[in-house]
Amino acid sequence: MRSIGLVAETKDGERRVALDPSAVAALVAAGSSVLVESGAGARAGFPDDSYRRAGAHIVPSPDDAWGADIVVKVKEPLPGEWRWFRPGLTLFAYLHLAASPELADALASNGVDAVAFETVTDATGLPLLAPMSEIAGRAAAIVGAFHLAGGSGVLLGGAAGVRPARVVVVGMGVAGSVAARGARGLDAEVTGVDVDLARLRALHVEGAVTATLASSESALDDVIPEADLVIGAALVAGARAPTVVRAEHVKAMRPGSVVVDLAIDQGGCIETARPTSLSDPVYEIDGVIHYCVTNVPGQYPQTATRALSAAVAPRLRCLADDPEHPMLRGGWNVRDGRISHPVVAAALAQHTP
Ligand SMILES: NC(=O)c1ccc[n+]([C@@H]2O[C@H](COP(=O)([O-])OP(=O)(O)OC[C@H]3O[C@@H](n4cnc5c(N)ncnc54)[C@H](O)[C@@H]3O)[C@@H](O)[C@H]2O)c1
């Protein structure tokens, strides 16, 4: 059976790790050899000793963990990590290649085979994206409310005699519906926008939103300028995010309003969004505060690591035993030196001049 390397994350503010000790124990019990980079889990609350007790080999440097047959990590490798790319390596992580042609090229040209968490599919949808979308969605309502305090000074729930804030959520999948519930829980008025009318109907009936809107540019002309907080979470799996909220919409918002674009990891569904980091999360355009952090769950490493690990570990076991296993369906993005996922390949072809 192929060896597994668990490496530390290097992205700004990222404190998650891809496997918790209980997942490592299950992999070791199934016969895998797991190499854990020393300190990989420390910022998520999992010290080396907890992995040692689970049966892992703690290795002192990233070189050793990256030397395993399969490397599992959370975020896409940053350029400083590309030096470990080599033929024969299999990478299992969030990759978001549609928004990163350079990484796609680095993987393919170095002969790395890669399975992307975010495109693995099953009967429920996207089982390796869902846990982090759930956490990012919950966080979106919290960070949106927080930045409104420093911006327009509007409180989501209003007060007696003062109307509540108006929140628009674009893309009512896992992240969007949880974000809407969070904002509703704080008594905001929430409009859910999606192309999927059945989904909008169900969320309206269960009370997650106060109003719904079929997604189109002209429909948004009316609601975005009136919104205090816009949360973007539209996704077409594998593809670059659709641009749903235009720059003119943002320009028409009141100063001090806030946009949170969760879809930024796939390029963003708000035209004025560009990636930001946990240590420098916001910028302003036309007086509107933009929060476009690409690793929102990284600030909740205990919850996020446990949630991610529970979803990743059974599929990692399949990857080590049988790379063609149906539990990895849709996940293969790079294989034999080429982009093997048709939607990702089509999105990347659009970048090619
Ligand atoms: N920034 C972060 O830290 C972070 C963390 C987790 C997830 N995400 C991202 O959040 C996004 C949403 O993920 P998800 O799991 O909720 O996806 P999902 O597939 O569950 O939901 C996406 C929704 O978007 C809708 N949609 C598609 N095209 C649309 C359009 N033109 N207008 C309106 N709605 C449209 C779909 O119908 C679907 O309901 C993804 O890009 C994901 O990568 C970001």
Side-chain angles (χ1 to χ4, degrees):
M1 193 180 291
R2 296 189 298 160
S3 59
I4 294 168
L6 176 66
V7 299
E9 297 299 315
T10 57
K11 192 162 184 141
D12 173 78
E14 181 55 69
R15 289 151 65 207
R16 287 172 289 180
V17 64
L19 299 174
D20 67 13
S22 69
V24 168
L27 288 161
V28 170
S32 289
S33 164
V34 183
L35 310 178
V36 175
E37 180 184 339
S38 180
R43 286 172 301 169
F46 305 115
D48 286 351
D49 262 354
S50 60
Y51 289 101
R52 202 173 277 118
R53 283 195 298 275
H57 305 282
I58 307 298
V59 292
S61 86
D63 297 336
D64 304 314
W66 275 96
D69 300 316
I70 300 172
V71 164
V72 64
K73 71 189 301 302
V74 182
K75 290 306 288 181
E76 67 282 355
L78 300 179
E81 296 169 300
W82 298 358
R83 66 179 183 277
W84 289 300
F85 289 177
R86 64 177 198 281
L89 171 65
T90 300
L91 178 65
F92 194 32
Y94 290 112
L95 295 174
H96 304 290
L97 296 184
S100 181
E102 300 79 12
L103 174 59
D105 184 53
L107 290 166
S109 61
N110 283 291
V112 178
D113 290 340
V115 180
F117 291 168
E118 73 277 6
T119 60
V120 172
T121 54
D122 70 4
T124 67
L126 302 167
L128 295 186
L129 184 60
M132 296 306 100
S133 292
E134 189 182 355
I135 291 170
R138 284 193 206 288
I142 299 169
V143 297
F146 174 79
H147 286 292
L148 276 174
S152 64
V154 168
L155 178 64
L156 282 192
V162 183
R163 68 175 300 172
R166 277 162 284 190
V167 177
V168 177
V169 183
V170 179
M172 292 296 290
V174 176
S177 58
V178 173
R181 274 194 199 95
R184 277 301 296 136
L186 293 166
D187 288 334
E189 283 176 18
V190 181
T191 300
V193 181
D194 207 295
V195 287
D196 183 339
L197 299 187
R199 192 160 181 84
L200 288 181
R201 188 175 302 116
L203 289 164
H204 200 186
V205 168
E206 75 178 52
V209 291
T210 40
T212 62
L213 207 54
S215 182
S216 78
E217 219 176 296
S218 56
L220 293 181
D221 287 350
D222 297 330
V223 294
I224 301 288
E226 292 302 312
D228 298 290
L229 169 62
V230 175
I231 296 173
L235 171 71
V236 177
R240 204 179 157 80
T243 307
V244 186
V245 178
R246 297 276 166 198
E248 308 88 82
H249 293 139
V250 173
K251 199 177 176 64
M253 291 174 75
R254 286 183 291 272
S257 303
V258 175
V259 300
V260 174
D261 196 350
L262 295 178
I264 193 66
D265 52 4
Q266 292 287 137
C269 67
I270 297 172
E271 195 175 2
T272 48
R274 58 168 172 75
T276 59
S277 62
L278 283 168
S279 62
D280 191 11
V282 292
Y283 61 93
E284 275 187 36
I285 292 184
D286 295 324
V288 175
I289 298 167
H290 287 59
Y291 179 98
C292 308
V293 171
T294 53
N295 56 335
V296 173
Q299 61 200 307
Y300 304 102
Q302 262 279 330
T303 305
T305 293
R306 289 184 193 280
L308 182 62
S309 182
V312 163
R315 289 172 179 83
L316 180 56
R317 199 168 149 187
C318 293
L319 189 57
D321 284 350
D322 170 15
E324 308 308 325
H325 198 285
M327 280 181 80
L328 298 168
R329 193 177 66 209
W332 283 101
N333 275 218
V334 188
R335 232 171 167 179
D336 302 325
R338 62 176 199 90
I339 305 301
S340 53
H341 189 293
V343 180
V344 176
L348 287 168
Q350 288 179 356
H351 284 281
T352 314

